[in-house]
Amino acid sequence: MITKYSIETAYSFLHQKRNVYIHSSLDWQKDDIEYTIGSYVDEMSPELYSTLSQGRTDFLRDHKRFREDITQAVEQLENMLI
């Protein structure tokens, strides 16, 4: 079961990190955010991660797709809060 609290927590965290990530011009800062998000999803509710990832095991963990993934995750979470 996905709780409203887990959705709100994930949304707040990912939204804040996404905003820093997309406006950053520093590669080290982007790498730190990717690492932090990767660690966060390791501890995230498995049900919530499964819903967000739609079965992709590398969701929010693939450097090449990270910007797209985090944007998608924030949008999905936002829709879940409506």
Side-chain angles (χ1 to χ4, degrees):
M1 177 177 160
I2 302 171
T3 66
K4 183 175 181 176
Y5 176 77
S6 68
I7 296 168
E8 290 172 339
T9 301
Y11 175 77
S12 296
F13 186 69
L14 294 178
H15 184 266
Q16 187 266 343
K17 295 298 182 194
R18 180 192 154 273
N19 286 345
V20 174
Y21 187 88
I22 64 173
H23 293 102
S24 179
S25 60
L26 305 171
D27 288 338
W28 66 264
Q29 186 176 41
K30 289 180 176 184
D31 289 343
D32 284 354
I33 290 170
E34 289 181 35
Y35 176 80
T36 301
I37 296 298
S39 297
Y40 178 78
V41 299
D42 287 343
E43 302 300 320
M44 178 186 280
S45 154
E47 294 88 1
L48 181 55
Y49 182 76
S50 178
T51 298
L52 296 175
S53 69
Q54 299 172 350
R56 277 190 43 228
T57 57
D58 65 345
F59 186 72
L60 292 170
R61 294 181 173 114
D62 180 353
H63 175 74
K64 293 177 185 173
R65 293 185 49 126
F66 184 80
R67 184 180 181 128
E68 178 183 334
D69 286 352
I70 196 165
T71 298
Q72 177 185 338
V74 168
E75 289 172 358
Q76 286 180 282
L77 290 162
E78 194 171 271
N79 287 332
M80 294 170 86
L81 290 171
I82 295 175

